[in-house]
Amino acid sequence: MILDPEFHQSIWKPWQSPVADAAATAEPAMPPRPRRALVRALVVVAAIGVTMALVLAAVIPRLLDSRGWQEESYVKHMPTQPQIAWTSEGAQPCGETQNGDHAILKDARRVWSLDLNNGHTRWSVDISGPGRLTCLPAADLVAVTILSTEDRQVLHTTLLRASSGEEVADLPGDSTTQVIPMGADIGLVDSNNQLRMVHPEDLDAPLWTRQLLGPPGQLEPIIVEQVDDDVLQLVYWAQTDTSEHVTLLTLNDGEPPAWASAPPNQVVYHRRSADVITRTDYSTGGPTGPDVSILDLQGQQMWNLGEDKLTIAGSRFFRSSRVTSGPDSGWSYSHLREVDRRTGSPINDDTYEGQFDYVHSTNPDRLQVMLAETLRILDEHLQEVSTLSVENVRLVHDGRKFLYVESTEYEYGEDQKVRLSALDPDRGRVVWTFDLEAGASLGQLGQHLVIVDADGSFHGLKSR
């Protein structure tokens, strides 16, 4: 049953010039989720992915860690204290769909589309066993890969129409072990690690092929990060190898972009912001984090971050200095200034001199800095406009008007509880709070905050 066949979401892309209603923030290229071989940071997403969030824990000390590689929008506005509007059984969600009001979910029995406004099932398809789910949003497809129960080998992959659940194709496991999004087209990976890009309507006619590194047939699910309209970054490991692989390719021919210079065995991430590329190199980093350089679109280095911290909000670059003395030496920062993204030099005299641990930004004209349990809101000139105190902060979710802060509450002799607070950054006040039941946590599907019970069930939130 299709309740809403129309999908649309208008999102600003960080590699383009900003528009007045910019809804996304670009950040330096970062690993998209916690992964083995990555003791270098605790990353929120998750991932997760699946919205813009702030890690208020041990983060790579020179980079703001939010999911800037994804094109994401704000969470839904909740002007008043919410209530539970609907309940759905727990399942594995896709990382991204075409519309923030819908989610594609999978459990051991079926795949279905969930309307996040009311909890209704838009369509449902039965499946035959365990597997994984991959959304291909620009192609209006979802790939359901079925695995054997004995050795987790791929048996087959079924492509479904995301808007209706209609079966489009069924691909045998020996020819296709993974399906990945590649713009409006899709990528098929075979058991020899050969990637072929195809049109969704002509799966047997590759547009180009590219050999991926790693032992044949042993690749774990590939993470796809969009660098800009034409370039993708693939991140993956092998089941029998802890080495991390990062592959850059252009959509038109599968070859690396002209500005790419890293050898294939180096763990280097790239992110485009307007007319520059942020290059984050974990192979040559020091004790305070990776080496971060800013390149032009021909791959020439324009400046290096050194030991400073970089925050990117829209197309605006902000640089801050590491505190070198005191108990938080090496982990706290100060002297926050906006810099020219092509030179790294300050563009004006606006400066925030206070000390902070983290910087968070969604609106390019409004940054938030946090020190311990104090959140300070800065205006476009980096002047403090309000201060809020929130204890035991875990995540900050961005809304168009409010910040939605997830924190933990402790009471002696009782289980830990999670509290959701809506903060009005312009007025510097807590608008409302909502306490979750013991054992429940907060999650996000599409643009909607949801409660996740201990048994995995989802509960949608809506203002009273």
Side-chain angles (χ1 to χ4, degrees):
M1 175 176 62
I2 304 177
L3 302 180
D4 180 10
E6 296 297 328
F7 283 98
H8 177 70
Q9 187 172 357
S10 178
I11 302 175
W12 173 72
K13 299 177 180 179
W15 52 87
Q16 298 175 345
S17 298
V19 295
D21 190 26
T25 297
E27 295 299 339
M30 295 294 297
R33 63 191 65 182
R35 34 173 91 124
R36 69 186 190 205
L38 183 62
V39 186
R40 46 184 181 256
L42 294 179
V43 180
V44 173
V45 254
I48 351 191
V50 191
T51 63
M52 191 80 67
L54 169 66
V55 181
L56 299 173
V59 182
I60 294 176
R62 290 189 294 155
L63 299 174
L64 171 65
D65 186 21
S66 63
R67 284 163 289 166
W69 56 84
Q70 294 178 346
E71 302 170 20
E72 298 177 279
S73 55
Y74 297 112
V75 299
K76 288 290 185 179
H77 180 53
M78 291 186 286
T80 59
Q81 186 185 57
Q83 61 185 351
I84 294 177
W86 52 263
T87 297
S88 172
E89 58 187 297
Q92 170 194 348
C94 266
E96 181 183 4
T97 58
Q98 278 189 316
N99 185 285
D101 287 331
H102 300 273
I104 308 294
L105 305 173
K106 184 196 77 67
D107 62 17
R109 300 174 292 106
R110 64 178 182 129
V111 174
W112 71 99
S113 176
L114 179 68
D115 189 320
L116 297 173
N117 288 308
N118 51 34
H120 292 170
T121 297
R122 303 174 67 242
W123 54 260
S124 179
V125 175
D126 293 337
I127 59 176
S128 58
R132 58 176 179 258
L133 192 63
T134 304
C135 279
L136 311 162
D140 187 29
L141 293 174
V142 56
V144 184
T145 300
I146 303 300
L147 308 175
S148 67
T149 56
E150 294 81 13
D151 55 8
R152 307 290 290 179
Q153 294 299 305
V154 175
L155 298 178
H156 67 97
T157 298
T158 301
L159 295 180
L160 304 176
R161 189 71 61 193
S163 55
S164 65
E166 172 192 4
E167 182 173 328
V168 174
D170 193 73
L171 309 172
D174 55 351
S175 65
T176 302
T177 59
Q178 292 196 49
V179 182
I180 61 175
M182 305 192 75
D185 297 311
I186 61 177
L188 307 178
V189 182
D190 66 19
S191 56
N192 292 316
N193 296 356
Q194 185 179 71
L195 168 65
R196 57 195 190 277
M197 179 172 166
V198 298
H199 285 311
E201 64 275 11
D202 194 358
L203 302 179
D204 296 324
L207 302 172
W208 50 257
T209 61
R210 173 82 179 266
Q211 187 65 40
L212 300 180
L213 299 175
Q218 297 295 315
L219 300 189
E220 292 187 352
I222 296 171
I223 300 162
V224 180
E225 305 169 3
Q226 190 167 6
V227 178
D228 61 24
D229 284 330
D230 302 316
V231 180
L232 297 181
Q233 186 167 248
L234 311 184
V235 183
Y236 57 95
W237 299 260
Q239 297 172 10
T240 57
D241 182 6
T242 59
S243 298
E244 184 176 349
H245 301 286
V246 181
T247 298
L248 284 168
L249 55 84
T250 53
L251 290 173
N252 63 330
D253 59 11
E255 295 299 318
W259 45 260
S261 59
N265 61 336
Q266 284 191 336
V267 183
V268 179
Y269 296 88
H270 297 82
R271 179 64 189 180
R272 180 172 171 180
S273 302
D275 57 349
V276 301
I277 303 290
T278 303
R279 184 182 189 271
T280 306
D281 187 350
Y282 286 97
S283 304
T284 59
T288 57
D291 180 77
V292 179
S293 298
I294 308 302
L295 315 178
D296 63 20
L297 297 185
Q298 287 71 49
Q300 298 299 312
Q301 178 175 314
M302 294 186 290
W303 56 281
N304 185 274
L305 187 61
E307 293 190 350
D308 289 349
K309 178 187 181 71
L310 179 65
T311 299
I312 307 176
S315 60
R316 302 176 69 185
F317 278 45
F318 297 86
R319 188 173 183 174
S320 50
S321 303
R322 184 164 58 92
V323 174
T324 57
S325 61
D328 295 323
S329 176
W331 295 99
S332 293
Y333 295 83
S334 65
H335 203 67
L336 177 67
R337 302 188 70 177
E338 183 174 4
V339 298
D340 186 317
R341 62 178 176 266
R342 297 184 64 86
T343 66
S345 300
I347 65 173
N348 53 42
D349 294 329
D350 296 343
T351 307
Y352 176 72
E353 296 285 4
Q355 186 173 337
F356 56 88
D357 298 323
Y358 312 104
V359 182
H360 187 42
S361 60
T362 295
N363 185 334
D365 295 328
R366 186 178 67 206
L367 303 184
Q368 298 99 48
V369 297
M370 186 140 193
L371 178 65
E373 296 173 348
T374 300
L375 184 69
R376 291 180 169 86
I377 313 300
L378 310 182
D379 64 16
E380 60 179 323
H381 299 292
L382 304 182
Q383 299 302 302
E384 186 176 325
V385 295
S386 61
T387 300
L388 297 164
S389 180
V390 183
E391 296 182 355
N392 304 316
V393 173
R394 297 174 61 183
L395 301 178
V396 177
H397 304 266
D398 301 289
R400 288 194 175 277
K401 295 183 179 180
F402 298 158
L403 299 176
Y404 299 95
V405 179
E406 178 183 353
S407 59
T408 53
E409 299 291 322
Y410 297 94
E411 291 188 16
Y412 183 77
E414 296 185 4
D415 293 334
Q416 171 182 308
K417 292 184 178 180
V418 173
R419 167 171 289 178
L420 175 63
S421 303
L423 309 183
D424 184 339
D426 294 326
R427 299 182 180 181
R429 66 188 182 95
V430 177
V431 181
W432 51 257
T433 62
F434 182 88
D435 292 334
L436 281 61
E437 296 291 335
S441 60
L442 195 68
Q444 187 164 341
L445 295 176
Q447 294 177 279
H448 294 248
L449 294 178
V450 296
I451 296 173
V452 185
D453 278 346
D455 63 0
S457 299
F458 296 123
H459 303 280
L461 295 174
K462 188 175 182 179
S463 284
R464 298 177 186 274

